[in-house]
């Protein structure tokens, strides 16, 4: 590992791999950093289990000019020998981005043997920086959502994909996310059981969103196929139902649900209890913008793109020169957009460097595909969106900040005292001052503020993050 | 003005501005506090919470600090927020024989004026703070030293002021100050204009920019202080601490470049350790640097080795309003009627905020104050006998 | 701890060689390549730590290194993220 690279790519998910492939072969020194044990990000994690070597997508994938589905992306991935000039490090974490594209990076002892066992923190200079840090899930909090056994939809998938382990013999699935059906099928494929899928969305809302999919016939078809397969397997599927409570002593034992009216309010007298040892629940996604914020990149708020996202120009350059962003952090729209943007960002960087791109890259097609994928973003994010009444209805005793253990009651109290911006509410409550730096609670706090105060996103403000954006041992700073 | 109640505009929603607003509002003055961002979003939200007495030189500085300290216990009761004030004592950690000698003299001078402080050898120090490194040389200890949550203190002042009918405007950057015949008449913010009979400049590290609006040059410079925050953990230190080097840096900026920066440590009510601090002139930049973080961590772990098994969860940096003589600038300015200064506390803003608010409020309202403000006037930098210190 | 969830390992999954972890001093079977959080879940262990203020148990939540809920002590090093750590033979894991 060197201390300076022509291009540093943060994240080796779909966007990161697509970018690295496109940048390879031009004599550039490229560093791909990922905090996971293996490449692949959340989508390709079981396909990239080997630590050395690299991957590429079937070049035809970028020339179709049509919407690319996750299935196609997964299928078109193939292992290759690591291209010359590409260094790929795993379990290394970018902690901060300082001026002049200087990255603060924590690397494990496996990359720098002889250390203290805590790894070490280095500065790495990037000529160009491509941020492809992906997204995480959102979750609407409910009583008991901190109980062991309650997990995100993604967490349940990861258990199976990375380790071949089911979340439980029987898993209850809830929320608003399209990951619900994906997870259910994955569980069934692995001979597990699904107690039920409890979708908060009514059929009418979903039908109302269908016009947004008019250019995405293949994605709509794929969704319909998933539903059909679940129906054939006789999975219990309920719509217009929300989890109101998770019960159990030191772990989940039961889940209480309530029916929802058309506006998303719970209907009295519709409570139902399910025994459960695992509840997988999710309400859409939010972009991992910690590092772009660290780098000083301007953000935009767009509910149709999943909330606060990185502002980019047509070339995917952020407001900070030489810093590019690709994939979910410019708008939540799934793997297809990540693939296209990874390639496009790489092309932009190559153009800046005066390099010609290979024959397998067709920019006008990619641009067309990117625009199309954005249409899917509106569908996806509106589908996942929780009505503001749901935030208003959160019980006072429910914890919002899991790290600092701050309750909804405390948040309500401080909002009523006038702390109505994201920044001031954080100061008044400690929400977001814990280990995760607000990754879980800040999007919630934002939605709560919108619901309770009716302010604009700009009035509430975007979240802030400080280096190190991930926890690191003090000791790792002691070894230069 | 006639019999109308004068309108006082306080610029700056940090600990100094909110304290002044609270003190004024309590005395039924008509006050508007203007903050460009959120309350405590500048230095008051990016600093440690030390309320240290024994770091001050005997003289006006220490007197000010002692008067301030007295007021904290009342604030704890009066403010509508738990300010996490804890008077658990403080320690100046001594790491070399040379420092020990210097501190001997410093402590003697403090004891002569009756400050409750004593010198301890390594053995006694380690008995009181068992996690400290056995390599330390000793410490000075004062039961007077305390700590407070700076953010809660600022928010507490602001909420208290509002309870007493002060108007608080956040997210309202000041664009200009209107004057007529050498007297302030109004303040322009992004949200509009307002008439003002008096304007208090409590804009901390940015007070120079506010003063420029009325043609006044301030010798206040932003001095960056970086801090490191660890995870919350069980009690690791029982009182707040600074190193002897820190005191040296406070009194001689030329020492701040290297080891003279010293270190500070406190463990908050929440259990996090706050490790500080750097002292750097880098303009208005509030970015952290790897070298700054490294300096803080190597100095603090040398004194408290148990830290090494903790994790850093974030770092931050604030701009301390530095003045050439280390004392704040308080009171009226000769060249502009109705314009008052309350800035330049450098690293002492939190500790001195209660007394600053009281003195400035008393002065503005023409009441008798506990300490005369003349040694803190801006004019001390222009008159030949400018060195007010001591 | 409850062990009603044993046999969570998916039969058709590719597994590495069998390894043994020590979880709170008790031997626990796992397979090379599994993450610590998954191996613990397969052993019926859902509660991984105690939250400081409320004293509640916490376990896996995000599964991808975001939320810091799955912190355990690994080989004497506290607060390691179980979901981001690959299990290795003989690994000593302590939950709280």
């Amino acid at each position: 590992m060197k201390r300076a690279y022509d291009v540093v790519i943060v994240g080796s998910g779909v966007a990161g791999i697509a970018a690295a492939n496109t940048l390879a072969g031009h004599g550039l020194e490229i560093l791909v950093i990922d905090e996971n044990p293996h490449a692949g990000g959340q989508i390709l994690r079981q396909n990239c289990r080997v630590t050395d070597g690299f991957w590429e997508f079937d070049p035809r994938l970028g020339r179709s000019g049509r919407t690319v589905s996750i299935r196609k992306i997964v299928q078109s991935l193939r292992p290759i020998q690591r291209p010359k000039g590409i260094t790929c490090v795993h379990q290394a974490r970018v902690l901060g981005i300082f001026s002049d594209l200087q990255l603060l990076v924590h690397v494990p002892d496996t990359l720098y043997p002889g250390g203290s066992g805590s790894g070490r923190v280095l500065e790495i200079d990037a000529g160009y920086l491509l941020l492809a840090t992906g997204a995480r899930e959102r979750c609407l909090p409910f009583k008991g959502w901190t109980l062991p056994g309650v997990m995100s939809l993604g967490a349940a998938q990861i258990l199976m994909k990375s380790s071949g382990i089911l979340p439980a013999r029987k898993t209850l699935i809830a929320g608003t996310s399209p990951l619900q059906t994906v997870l259910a099928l994955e569980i069934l494929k692995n001979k597990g059981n699904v107690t039920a899928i409890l979708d908060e969305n009514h059929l009418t809302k979903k039908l109302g969103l269908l016009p947004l999919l008019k250019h995405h016939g293949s994605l709509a078809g794929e969704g319909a196929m998933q539903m059909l397969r679940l129906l054939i397997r006789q999975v219990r599927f309920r719509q217009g139902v929300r989890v109101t409570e998770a019960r159990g002593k030191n772990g989940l034992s039961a889940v209480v649900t309530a029916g929802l009216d058309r506006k998303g309010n719970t209907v009295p007298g519709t409570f139902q209890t399910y025994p459960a040892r695992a509840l997988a629940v999710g309400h859409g996604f939010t972009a991992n913008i910690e590092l772009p914020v660290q780098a000083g990149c301007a953000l935009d708020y767009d509910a149709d793109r999943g909330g606060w996202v990185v502002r980019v120009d047509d070339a995917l350059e952020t407001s900070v020169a030489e810093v590019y962003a690709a994939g979910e952090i410019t708008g939540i729209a799934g793997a297809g957009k990540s693939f296209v943007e990874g390639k496009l960002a790489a092309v932009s960087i190559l153009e800046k460097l005066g390099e010609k791109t290979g024959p397998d890259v067709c920019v006008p097609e990619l641009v067309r595909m990117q625009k199309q994928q954005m249409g899917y973003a509106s569908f996806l994010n509106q589908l996942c969106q929780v009505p503001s009444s749901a935030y208003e209805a959160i019980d006072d005793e429910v914890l919002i900040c899991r790290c600092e253990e701050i309750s909804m009651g405390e948040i309500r109290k401080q909002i009523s005292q006038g702390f109505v911006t994201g920044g001031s509410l954080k100061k008044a409550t400690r929400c977001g001052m814990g280990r995760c730096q607000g990754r879980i609670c800040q999007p919630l706090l934002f939605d709560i503020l919108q619901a309770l105060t009716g302010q604009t996103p700009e009035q509430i403000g975007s979240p802030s993050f400080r280096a190190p954006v991930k926890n690191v041992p003090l000791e790792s700073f002691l070894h230069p | 003005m006639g019999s109308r109640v004068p309108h006082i505009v306080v610029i700056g929603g940090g600990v100094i501005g909110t304290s002044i607003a609270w003190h004024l509002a309590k005395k039924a003055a008509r006050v508007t506090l203007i903050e460009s961002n959120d309350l405590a979003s500048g230095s008051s939200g990016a600093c440690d919470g030390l309320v240290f007495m024994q770091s001050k030189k005997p003289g006006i500085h220490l007197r000010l600090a002692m008067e301030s300290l007295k007021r904290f216990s009342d604030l704890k009761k009066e403010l509508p927020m738990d300010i996490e004030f804890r008077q658990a004592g403080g320690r100046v950690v001594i790491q070399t024989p040379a420092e020990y000698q210097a501190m001997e003299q410093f402590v003697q001078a403090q004891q002569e004026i009756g400050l409750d402080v004593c010198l301890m050898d390594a053995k006694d120090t380690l008995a009181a703070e068992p996690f400290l490194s056995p390599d330390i040389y000793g410490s000075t200890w004062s039961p007077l030293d305390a700590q407070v949550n700076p953010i809660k203190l600022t928010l507490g002042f602001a909420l208290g002021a509002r309870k007493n009918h002060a108007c608080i405007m956040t997210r309202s950057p000041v664009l200009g100050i209107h004057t007529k015949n050498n007297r302030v008449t109004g303040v322009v913010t992004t949200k509009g204009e307002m008439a003002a009979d008096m304007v208090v400049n409590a804009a901390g590290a940015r007070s120079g920019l506010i003063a420029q609006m009325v043609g006044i040059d301030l010798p206040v410079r932003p001095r960056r202080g970086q801090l490191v925050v660890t995870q919350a953990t069980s009690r690791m230190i029982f009182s707040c601490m600074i190193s002897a080097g820190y005191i040296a840096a406070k009194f001689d900026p030329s020492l701040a470049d290297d080891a003279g920066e010293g270190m500070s440590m406190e463990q908050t009510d929440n259990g996090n350790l706050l490790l500080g601090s750097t002292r750097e002139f880098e303009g208005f930049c509030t970015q952290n640097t790897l070298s700054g973080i490294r300096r803080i961590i190597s100095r603090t772990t040398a004194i408290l080795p148990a830290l090494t098994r903790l994790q850093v969860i974030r770092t931050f940096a604030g701009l301390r309003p530095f003045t050439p003589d280390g004392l704040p600038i308080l009171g009226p300015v000769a060249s502009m009627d109705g314009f008052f200064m309350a800035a330049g506390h450098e690293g002492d803003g939190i500790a001195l905020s209660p007394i600053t608010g009281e003195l400035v409020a008393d002065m503005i309202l023409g009441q008798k104050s506990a300490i005369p403000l003349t040694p803190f006037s801006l004019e001390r930098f222009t008159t030949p006998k400018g060195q007010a210190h001591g | 701890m409850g062990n009603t969830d044993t046999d969570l390992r998916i039969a058709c999954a590719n597994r590495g060689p069998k390894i043994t972890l020590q979880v709170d001093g008790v031997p626990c079977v796992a397979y090379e390549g599994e993450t610590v959080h998954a191996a613990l879940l397969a052993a019926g262990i859902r509660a991984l730590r105690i939250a400081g203020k409320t004293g509640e148990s916490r376990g896996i939540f995000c599964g991808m290194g975001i939320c810091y809920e799955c912190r355990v002590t690994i080989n004497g090093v506290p607060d390691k993220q179980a979901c981001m750590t690959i299990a290795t033979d003989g690994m000593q894991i302590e939950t709280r």
Side-chain angles (χ1 to χ4, degrees), chain A residues 128-244:
Chain A
Y128 288 85
L129 179 60
L130 174 55
L131 299 170
T133 47
R136 59 182 181 272
E137 272 185 273
R138 289 170 183 267
C139 182
L140 174 69
F142 47 86
K143 203 173 153 190
W145 75 308
T146 52
L147 270 176
V150 179
M151 64 186 83
S152 70
L153 295 163
Q157 273 186 308
I158 291 165
L159 284 168
M160 293 185 286
K161 282 187 182 181
S162 289
S163 299
I165 285 168
L166 290 163
R169 291 307 315 162
K170 282 178 145 188
T171 303
L172 187 63
I173 298 175
T176 58
S177 164
L179 276 189
Q180 290 177 109
T181 47
V182 178
L183 173 64
L185 285 168
E186 187 89 16
I187 290 174
L188 294 177
K189 190 182 89 186
N190 291 319
K191 308 272 187 286
N193 297 300
V194 175
T195 313
I197 299 176
L198 310 171
D199 191 345
E200 287 184 32
N201 290 320
H202 284 281
L203 185 62
T204 43
K205 175 180 169 185
K206 288 187 266 191
L207 291 176
L209 293 175
L210 276 183
L212 292 170
L213 283 183
K214 62 174 184 266
H215 298 299
H216 306 273
S218 65
L219 293 177
E222 209 166 292
M225 277 305 292
Q226 287 174 358
M227 285 300 302
L228 194 65
R229 282 157 64 201
L230 288 170
L231 288 173
I232 292 167
R233 299 290 299 268
Q234 294 184 310
V235 170
R236 221 161 133 201
F237 192 77
R238 293 182 59 206
Q239 301 182 90
V241 174
R242 177 180 296 146
V243 172
T244 55

Side-chain angles (χ1 to χ4, degrees), chain A residues 270-477:
Chain A
T270 56
F271 291 98
Q272 206 168 329
T273 306
Y274 296 81
R277 279 186 54 87
L279 167 66
V281 54
H283 296 81
F285 310 90
T286 187
N288 289 330
I289 53 170
E290 304 80 53
L291 289 175
V293 167
Q294 263 286 296
C297 301
L299 304 177
D300 285 319
Y301 186 86
D302 184 350
D304 273 7
R305 283 190 281 161
W308 289 106
V309 293
V310 181
R311 182 183 301 165
V312 285
D313 62 14
D314 289 343
L316 295 174
E317 190 168 12
T318 68
S319 65
V320 179
E322 271 101 51
V323 178
Y324 290 74
E328 303 286 50
I329 61 171
T330 70
I332 308 287
K337 174 172 155 291
S338 298
F339 167 77
V340 172
E341 288 195 345
K343 276 185 129 31
L344 274 177
V347 170
S348 302
I349 292 171
L350 287 174
E351 271 174 11
K352 274 266 184 84
L353 289 165
E355 293 283 329
K356 280 211 169 76
T357 47
D360 62 313
V361 181
C362 177
V363 175
E365 287 292 272
L366 287 172
V367 171
R368 209 152 66 89
M369 289 165 76
Q370 185 199 21
K371 292 253 150 58
Q372 276 193 14
Q373 296 285 162
M374 273 313 209
Y376 177 63
S378 305
F379 170 80
L380 175 65
N381 294 300
Q382 287 185 32
L383 180 72
C384 295
Q385 186 150 32
V386 174
S388 58
S389 62
Y391 293 102
E392 290 165 30
I394 297 173
D395 277 348
D396 275 352
E397 65 196 284
V398 175
L399 291 186
I400 299 299
C401 177
R402 298 171 66 113
C403 297
E404 294 297 304
E405 301 167 77
I406 312 292
S407 70
M408 184 67 188
E410 177 65 14
I411 288 164
R412 278 207 175 90
K413 183 182 150 200
Q414 297 305 341
I415 289 175
S416 73
Q417 301 240 53
F419 298 106
V420 293
T421 63
S424 67
L425 193 56
K426 178 178 174 179
K427 287 195 168 72
T429 61
R430 294 193 62 81
C431 263
M433 288 197 189
R435 283 182 176 268
C436 88
Q437 285 209 20
R439 284 173 176 81
I440 305 295
C441 71
Q442 288 302 309
L444 288 172
L445 228 48
F446 183 91
D447 291 341
I448 289 169
L449 277 168
Q450 265 200 325
L452 266 55
T453 68
Q455 297 175 100
T456 64
E458 289 69 29
Q459 284 169 330
I460 294 168
S462 57
S464 63
F465 299 95
R466 302 293 310 189
V469 298
K470 294 270 168 154
N471 301 179
V472 280
L474 257 86
E475 200 170 34
S476 60
F477 283 94

